[in-house]
Amino acid sequence: MASLEEKRHTLAHLLAAAVAERYPGAKPTIGPAVDNGFYYDFDFGAGQAPGETELAALTDAMRELLPSWTSMHGTEVSEKDARDRFKDNEYKLELIGDISAKGEKITLYTAGDFTDLCRGGHSETPGHDIKPDSFVLDRVAGAYWRGDENKPQLTRIYGLAFDTKEDLDAYLKQREEAQARDHKKLGKELDLFLIDEKVGRGLPMWTPKGTAIKFALEDFVRSLERKYGYEHVETPYLGGEELYRTSGHLEHYSQNMYAPIDMDGDKFYLRPMACPHHIRMYQRRPWSYKELPVRYAEIADYNRYEKSGELMGMIRVRKFQLTDGHLFVTPEGLKDEFKNVCRMIVEGMKGLGLLDIVSYRFSKRDPNNKEKYYPDDGLWNRAEGLMKEALDELGLAYTEAPDEAAFYGPKLDVQAKNVNGKEDTLFTAQMDFLLPEKFEIEYVDADGQKKRPVMIHRSTIGSLERTFGFLIEHYAGAFPLWMAPVQVMVLPVGQAHAAYADDILKTLRDAGIRAELSADDSLGKRIRAAKLAKVPCFLVVGDAEMEAKTVTVENNRTGDKQTVSLPDFLNPMLERIKERANI
Amino acid sequence: MASLEEKRHTLAHLLAAAVAERYPGAKPTIGPAVDNGFYYDFDFGAGQAPGETELAALTDAMRELLPSWTSMHGTEVSEKDARDRFKDNEYKLELIGDISAKGEKITLYTAGDFTDLCRGGHSETPGHDIKPDSFVLDRVAGAYWRGDENKPQLTRIYGLAFDTKEDLDAYLKQREEAQARDHKKLGKELDLFLIDEKVGRGLPMWTPKGTAIKFALEDFVRSLERKYGYEHVETPYLGGEELYRTSGHLEHYSQNMYAPIDMDGDKFYLRPMACPHHIRMYQRRPWSYKELPVRYAEIADYNRYEKSGELMGMIRVRKFQLTDGHLFVTPEGLKDEFKNVCRMIVEGMKGLGLLDIVSYRFSKRDPNNKEKYYPDDGLWNRAEGLMKEALDELGLAYTEAPDEAAFYGPKLDVQAKNVNGKEDTLFTAQMDFLLPEKFEIEYVDADGQKKRPVMIHRSTIGSLERTFGFLIEHYAGAFPLWMAPVQVMVLPVGQAHAAYADDILKTLRDAGIRAELSADDSLGKRIRAAKLAKVPCFLVVGDAEMEAKTVTVENNRTGDKQTVSLPDFLNPMLERIKERANI
């Protein structure tokens, strides 16, 4: 019996056969199996390439051919024979040239009436192995020949394929759910952010609703940072050449930086990191050991070079705001402070409701490949040792990842799984021995001697952009009460209740609640709209409510419904918002 | 009797005479009267130029010469005679050449033993007119010959001169007070901000104390904006080329912009203004006339080209944050909305306590020079008419300034006087007919037709940097309670009261008050330090307070002192902070 990968590979051939039958001018190029099925790239030349609407017919054509593919087998041929067979297909000729240049065998595989240049790895009895309802053509995309944008553009047809129809259906369902949660889609539908081509790709703008969430996140971050003893600073997104020369960014990190801007003869860089700014802030005055740790926090502007093709919504952008922080710590205080950092990170993830999707990775030096790392065995051993102790004492579940440390120190990566199950690094907490050396950072110790502090770089909840992207997908746009851009929608039943509804709106807003009033259209339509907008809570006010000076509260998350006085609604509501409760 | 300006001009000669006597190698160049006295530029050549410490002796030398200057008179001479007399002074020779090239008369003025090339305008009897105690040499600075940095560098000696000693003393006193309030000086003393050469000139960093004030200002601005119906947005400090091409900034404003940054083939600019971003935000969806005015506010990052030599503390910087906003208004709604804008500005200035130093300037088109302005007579007349009506109906005192409007519309300038009495524009509110045209901004009117809104650009309290600079100087660092970086200083009398003081500190901080505890050093020294830091309020706790569960409150602004329970202190304090009371 063929493996799933062999079946997928076979289906790529079957697709090419169906295309050859229905689009006689098309030139097949290459077609491999992929994670969820297969694809094949074609040059349709002057002919019309199939669009998404043609895929159903093409799938049917594949299914019609399939029973005739009773067997599939390969034959070794000479380069000349291969060239003769594919003489009109410059792509296959190029591949044949490559294979023979490497001295490898050239094989052709045939099933039904269709023969293709291939290395093998198929089902030997496709008509028997592959269930006709276990695959479907999925979408059409552009692709360059050999991935090179200077080479001809081809048409790539993707298919999904699994062992059974049930597996295919399950995949489609999971994908549909993930797509419904896609932050780019929801961002537009719920009017949370905007990427405008004129403003620039990779430079998202926060709409009023998105900004309300951003401010809620900023408040949360800053209150958490205050609780953990941080001082807030604000530093510019530009830095002079000498700053990034001293830090080593220009030498080691310039591939992620943009070209400098001249300001009256001085060169300035859009900063890729804020550590040098915070170091210069620290260095504005002398420090005693009694004052350490010094902890600076900032929602800091960062700029990182990203290729246009790799930009993605709020997740991969060219300018972002990191909930950033830098700590200057005595070597003796390092373990305790690292524990504090970890406690704060866990509290932050818990506060955002993301504990379920995050995990922790302890990234260490590769003990067999020490040359890659800052050369001080003693420091590394001590730092990794105390990080491990700290993590273990906290009882934090983590995985160890050798050879994933930064050049200048070990780190803890906060990993998050997106709705597709893919894991990404949300942010890190990192020890640093190197920058204190480079900038010659000091404090005066108890013995009156000048000593070097250790730095910890760390984020509170990651970049606001990326974390917002994760939050949108995690909550499918139904944000917890404290984050929700509109927390309460006031719905007067009719025109007669407008004035009463206005009073309620004013009371709510004066109390600091993000409330809106919806008065146009029928009540049913308005309720539907507020539900679509995922507003957590509605207040319906009609004759009875106006009469009794009450409101009817509908909780759009729990479905609860009750009629209470305005203060009886308002006070618990304010309490729940203050506590950052979910609903 | 000579005028003050004539006396000052005469004193410049007297200075040159004293320098000639004491520094024989010095070459005098030019020496005019200025606002507060006079100066003279000298080339001291290989000889030692006088420093600040030599000025007293030089002032004495002037005073000794003065009685011998019984008369001062001029003689016309030939170019040849003049050249002979100044044959060793290339500066005077250059001036002589210039004068004769213009066909003007060459005159020499003599008093005592000293003769100088001069046009005249002196006291004719200096020894009689000028009081020896009415002037004093002030400072030494560098200056380029004819202000050209490619020409030789000279030494400029400044003197202060008034009619009487009393006037001089009054000036010195006023200047001393202004210097004590200088925001650069106080910014450093009170540790409010930092300009670091490595980070970059013109790029101030906000220290923890400065950031506390910045956050208080941001909260104030945003609550005011919410009250006036604004929605907050957040947009990036970069904008694509097309954006600033469409807006006309690249064509008309590029001298104030930095060079573009390439991002994968696209050009991006550090934005000089945020209007185009807010316009694209507006254009993300269609709007009905019923939804207008749409009001977007943002504490927006701006970048403006400034020469290194013109940078000044927080007042003139290269990157700043404007409390920015853009309104999209129907023509019918324009007057009412402009009134709202004015009301908000006045409320903002009042909230900051700056009403006394601000005035309002209504900047209009020059009716005799219409070609300089956006060509639509009807629009201008209507806009200026309704602005005037709005201002008059509000009863706002303003001055009219013809020919001070922007190209694209009339504006209201909020002018502020600094501690030296110099007036500067703090920010503006401006009508704009042009950008709506350029971006083709629309709304759907009651008749179903697409119409063009008018834009208003306006700030709430100006740029945070510049306004902060004014606030520092206005309050001499003794900020109102709600702004103060440290609002309460807790002072335990001795070690025995440390735990009680800690409890108090925690209670205050949990309530959201910015409180610090000062425990090292003697109580007297700690009180002095807190007074120097201009902390508005101290809580002293000793045996009596600990016993009775009270605190002794000292108000550092009013001098009031009273012993109360903690809640009796805390609750009115919170109320006053919430109301943004001064003390």
Side-chain angles (χ1 to χ4, degrees), chain A residues 196 214 234 264 280 305, chain B residues 196 214 234 264 280 305:
Chain A
D196 179 73
K214 184 172 189 278
E234 298 249 323
D264 234 25
R280 295 300 293 155
Y305 173 71
Chain B
D196 179 73
K214 184 174 191 275
E234 298 249 323
D264 234 26
R280 296 300 292 155
Y305 173 72

Side-chain angles (χ1 to χ4, degrees), chain B residues 355-392:
Chain B
L355 271 189
D356 289 350
I357 66 161
V358 301
S359 59
Y360 306 95
R361 186 174 76 177
F362 175 22
S363 291
K364 301 163 66 173
R365 184 173 64 153
D366 182 354
N368 303 317
N369 196 3
K370 294 180 182 176
E371 315 76 64
K372 278 176 62 184
Y373 297 96
Y374 180 65
D376 187 331
D377 250 15
L379 269 181
W380 274 95
N381 292 339
R382 209 157 54 243
E384 290 187 354
L386 70 83
M387 269 178 80
K388 187 170 162 43
E389 277 174 40
L391 292 168
D392 291 339

Side-chain angles (χ1 to χ4, degrees), chain A residues 200-422:
Chain A
R201 286 177 290 178
L203 300 174
M205 302 200 285
W206 302 71
T207 60
K209 286 204 171 102
T211 304
I213 299 177
K214 184 172 189 278
F215 286 176
L217 292 175
E218 290 180 355
D219 281 350
F220 171 63
V221 165
R222 287 184 178 144
S223 70
L224 197 59
E225 287 163 348
R226 265 190 287 269
K227 177 175 164 184
Y228 282 88
Y230 286 75
E231 295 183 294
H232 290 111
V233 296
E234 298 249 323
T235 63
Y237 43 75
L238 293 164
E241 185 177 12
E242 200 193 333
L243 197 68
Y244 289 108
R245 188 75 63 203
T246 305
S247 69
H249 283 93
L250 280 178
E251 201 180 339
H252 298 297
Y253 200 73
S254 58
Q255 75 282 7
N256 299 309
M257 293 170 67
Y258 292 104
I261 301 160
D262 178 89
M263 293 192 176
D264 234 25
D266 292 328
K267 274 188 197 169
F268 287 87
Y269 288 86
L270 281 175
R271 73 174 172 196
M273 293 188 192
C275 11
H277 290 78
H278 289 189
I279 290 171
R280 295 300 293 155
M281 179 68 77
Y282 175 90
Q283 290 186 306
R284 79 189 185 284
R285 72 169 185 85
W287 296 94
S288 147
Y289 72 100
K290 284 189 263 180
E291 297 175 290
L292 268 50
V294 168
R295 307 176 187 93
Y296 291 141
E298 177 176 9
I299 296 178
D301 291 301
Y302 274 44
N303 309 274
R304 298 267 176 90
Y305 173 71
E306 296 282 354
K307 282 191 190 166
S308 302
E310 286 175 8
L311 298 169
M312 209 240 312
M314 280 283 194
I315 305 283
R316 199 166 278 276
V317 294
R318 284 174 164 161
K319 172 218 166 288
F320 56 91
Q321 289 194 291
L322 187 69
T323 57
D324 200 12
H326 294 91
L327 298 96
F328 303 87
V329 192
T330 62
E332 300 75 32
L334 198 53
K335 184 171 134 186
D336 278 348
E337 193 53 33
F338 186 71
K339 279 166 102 168
N340 271 332
V341 166
C342 293
R343 281 192 198 99
M344 181 174 177
I345 287 172
V346 172
E347 190 168 340
M349 290 298 98
K350 195 175 168 190
L352 297 182
L354 295 184
L355 272 190
D356 290 350
I357 65 161
V358 301
S359 59
Y360 306 94
R361 187 174 76 177
F362 175 22
S363 292
K364 301 164 66 174
R365 185 174 62 153
D366 182 355
N368 303 316
N369 196 3
K370 293 180 182 175
E371 315 76 64
K372 277 176 63 183
Y373 297 95
Y374 180 64
D376 186 331
D377 250 15
L379 269 180
W380 274 96
N381 292 338
R382 210 157 54 243
E384 290 187 354
L386 71 83
M387 268 178 80
K388 187 169 163 44
E389 277 175 40
L391 292 168
D392 290 341
E393 284 169 25
L394 289 170
L396 204 67
Y398 61 92
T399 55
E400 293 200 14
D403 207 19
E404 289 284 344
F407 170 71
Y408 44 87
K411 63 191 171 98
L412 184 75
D413 300 313
V414 179
Q415 304 288 106
K417 251 193 202 135
N418 74 12
V419 284
N420 292 309
K422 198 179 154 291

Side-chain angles (χ1 to χ4, degrees), chain A residues 36 52 138-139 160 171-189 418-421 472-473 476-477 534:
Chain A
N36 58 6
E52 307 271 338
D138 187 36
R139 62 193 176 93
L160 302 172
Y171 175 82
L172 286 169
K173 184 155 181 278
Q174 186 275 330
R175 190 174 74 171
E176 194 181 335
E177 279 169 11
Q179 281 170 348
R181 285 168 178 264
D182 180 86
H183 81 282
K184 300 187 296 300
K185 182 170 166 282
L186 283 176
K188 202 177 170 93
E189 282 172 15
N418 74 12
V419 284
N420 292 309
I472 295 172
E473 299 192 350
K534 314 207 180 186

Side-chain angles (χ1 to χ4, degrees), chain B residues 6 31 50 61 169 192 210 239 242 255 286 320 341 393 452 458 462 549 558 566:
Chain B
E6 287 167 343
D169 288 347
L192 301 173
E242 200 194 332
Q255 74 282 8
F320 56 91
V341 166
E393 285 169 24
R452 235 359 132 246
R458 42 101 277 162
K549 297 265 165 214
T558 61
L566 189 57

